[in-house]
Amino acid sequence: MALHNRVSQKELKELLYRETEPRTTLSFYHYFRIDDPEQFRNELYRRFDSLKVFGRVYVANEGINAQVSVPSSNFESFKTALYHFEPLNGLRLNIAVDDDGKSFWVLKIKVRPKIVADGIDDPGFDMGRKGKYVDAESFNKLTDDPSTIVIDMRNHYEFEVGHFVNAIEVPSDTFREQLPMSADMMKDHKDQPIIMYCTGGIRCEKASAYLLHRGFNNVYHLEGGIIHYANTVREKGLENKFRGKNFVFDDRLGERITAEIIARCHQCGVPADNHTNCRNSACHLLFIQCDSCSVKFAGCCSEACYEVYNLPEEQQKSLRKGKENGLMVFNKSKQRMQGLKVLNPGTGST
Ligand SMILES: [Zn+2]
Ligand SMILES: [Zn+2]
């Protein structure tokens, strides 16, 4: 009984490209108690593998988070296989719109301590008690009331290019830091309605549970996140309270939701909201650059990087030696944090 793949990555990729059948790419997550994640993982693997499902799935005591592709002709059987697990029955699946179905070529299901790392070590914390879901319609209604507080649980570079009107940013680089920080920032508003949101819903759902855990009484979270909200307001012709772009980690680095450009070029300050990675591979900084700066600096973030980028490859290589190069993001949130006080959250920053 093989519960793992035994063929090489290269062969698997070739097999995928030879496949002529279209695939549907989708994602889903659900928080629910899994007592034996290993056994659940194996059962899931057997079912998915028999349907030629590819993708990345994380299983933990607290639930499941998955991004997969399914041969389109197996889609109905896939739903049956997934919904066989009682807590997942009827779960909403987010279908990727412009996707060629070639994102995954192997099935990987991993058991992890958490589906979203949260840094919480309090054993009393329980994902069983979460905030109330709001859909697009009730989000709009609730936020018409000026006493409702809206909190963005994404990273600074995501917030910078697009967010909900009056949303409050939690200025930290990591979700694990944002959790306690959001509770501290809101400590005087424990009875006010608080709506939390993120890209797809997985982070804000946890954040809503965390605020309840910290003694807040009126916590909501946006079902399916910005992605689902944007689709719903479009389909139903509702008012759209999101401004700008929804940052996503694919080749597009963001999906435009409204025509408004709310960010500025990090180099010259003109309105711009295109993220790019600095072309100097020793830098690779993620930052916002306007079209004219992109030409002027050849896609680099600074004069210094532009100079390095223009050196022969050999010389660049020797300059890179021994230097670390993690995910760097242009982030002013640390500085802003110091001066930050939430005096009137109802009419907070836009
Ligand atoms: Zn510029
Ligand atoms: Zn650079």
Side-chain angles (χ1 to χ4, degrees):
M1 186 170 54
L3 289 180
H4 298 272
N5 261 291
R6 298 190 190 282
V7 194
S8 82
Q9 293 285 324
K10 189 166 164 278
E11 278 173 82
L12 290 168
K13 206 168 177 174
E14 282 167 9
L15 279 173
L16 171 73
Y17 276 88
R18 273 207 300 271
E19 217 182 61
T20 48
E21 213 202 306
R23 280 181 170 266
T24 305
T25 305
L26 60 109
S27 65
F28 61 89
Y29 77 87
H30 190 54
Y31 288 102
F32 69 108
R33 180 76 203 165
I34 302 176
D35 287 320
D36 188 345
E38 198 63 49
Q39 189 242 320
F40 180 88
R41 182 250 166 230
N42 290 343
E43 175 67 22
L44 196 67
Y45 192 98
R46 264 188 289 269
R47 288 174 174 267
F48 281 9
D49 188 49
S50 71
L51 295 168
K52 300 196 176 68
V53 173
F54 295 155
R56 204 182 305 117
V57 183
Y58 297 122
V59 174
N61 281 128
E62 66 176 10
I64 182 171
N65 183 18
Q67 286 157 305
V68 295
S69 78
V70 185
S72 300
S73 63
N74 283 348
F75 189 64
E76 285 307 311
S77 323
F78 166 80
K79 284 212 301 211
T80 310
L82 185 69
Y83 293 167
H84 152 87
F85 300 97
E86 179 50 35
L88 302 179
N89 195 4
L91 189 68
R92 184 170 41 80
L93 307 173
N94 305 305
I95 315 281
V97 203
D98 25 288
D99 187 277
D100 62 358
K102 307 282 185 197
S103 339
F104 306 106
W105 54 91
V106 63
L107 177 62
K108 281 185 183 161
I109 308 186
K110 286 185 179 157
V111 172
R112 285 261 177 105
K114 303 263 184 162
I115 54 170
V116 174
D118 53 27
I120 302 170
D121 43 25
D122 183 347
F125 176 73
D126 178 13
M127 275 308 295
R129 205 174 143 247
K130 332 176 240 213
K132 287 163 263 181
Y133 274 125
V134 284
D135 58 15
E137 226 158 339
S138 27
F139 178 92
N140 285 355
K141 217 167 163 193
L142 267 170
T143 51
D144 282 340
D145 177 348
S147 72
T148 300
I149 302 171
V150 181
I151 302 183
D152 191 310
M153 290 307 291
R154 300 169 305 152
N155 293 309
H156 171 72
Y157 55 86
E158 298 170 301
F159 183 88
E160 193 178 10
V161 292
H163 52 251
F164 281 105
V165 177
N166 290 336
I168 293 170
E169 183 187 6
V170 186
S172 168
D173 295 334
T174 65
F175 182 67
R176 47 176 73 219
E177 280 175 8
Q178 281 180 318
L179 281 176
M181 195 182 274
S182 63
D184 295 342
M185 283 166 66
M186 293 300 129
K187 65 179 188 313
D188 299 327
H189 308 278
K190 288 201 167 167
D191 296 310
Q192 243 166 288
I194 297 180
I195 310 177
M196 321 200 75
Y197 73 89
C198 62
T199 309
I202 192 167
R203 281 178 277 174
C204 62
E205 186 158 337
K206 180 166 272 186
S208 76
Y210 180 76
L211 285 195
L212 290 174
H213 177 69
R214 290 277 303 261
F216 287 76
N217 298 308
N218 210 352
V219 188
Y220 301 85
H221 56 101
L222 181 60
E223 185 176 12
I226 300 161
I227 298 174
H228 190 53
Y229 176 90
N231 292 339
T232 311
V233 294
R234 204 177 297 137
E235 279 163 23
K236 296 194 175 168
L238 303 173
E239 182 194 354
N240 183 0
K241 294 198 179 189
F242 192 88
R243 297 286 172 268
K245 236 181 183 181
N246 182 27
F247 185 95
V248 285
F249 260 112
D250 63 16
D251 298 340
R252 295 168 298 159
L253 291 180
E255 174 194 29
R256 179 159 299 292
I257 296 183
T258 65
E260 247 168 297
I261 293 173
I262 66 166
R264 291 183 176 273
C265 173
H266 288 167
Q267 287 172 306
C268 75
V270 305
D273 62 4
N274 282 327
H275 274 99
T276 187
N277 285 108
C278 176
R279 288 272 187 78
N280 171 14
S281 38
C283 173
H284 210 62
L285 179 79
L286 182 69
F287 71 110
I288 297 174
Q289 189 172 46
C290 73
D291 291 341
S292 80
C293 286
S294 173
V295 174
K296 190 171 155 204
F297 293 94
C300 293
C301 75
S302 59
E303 291 281 359
C305 281
Y306 179 72
E307 275 169 33
V308 174
Y309 179 65
N310 279 308
L311 294 172
E313 180 58 28
E314 275 311 299
Q315 229 172 313
Q316 289 190 43
K317 255 189 203 156
S318 66
L319 278 172
R320 280 204 292 275
K321 247 179 211 148
K323 279 204 186 139
E324 240 182 83
N325 190 16
L327 173 71
M328 290 215 306
V329 291
F330 191 96
N331 195 342
K332 292 172 290 194
S333 62
K334 282 265 158 66
Q335 291 107 279
R336 275 185 304 137
M337 245 170 71
Q338 266 110 53
L340 190 101
K341 273 199 190 91
V342 187
L343 293 172
N344 188 0
T347 53
S349 65
T350 47

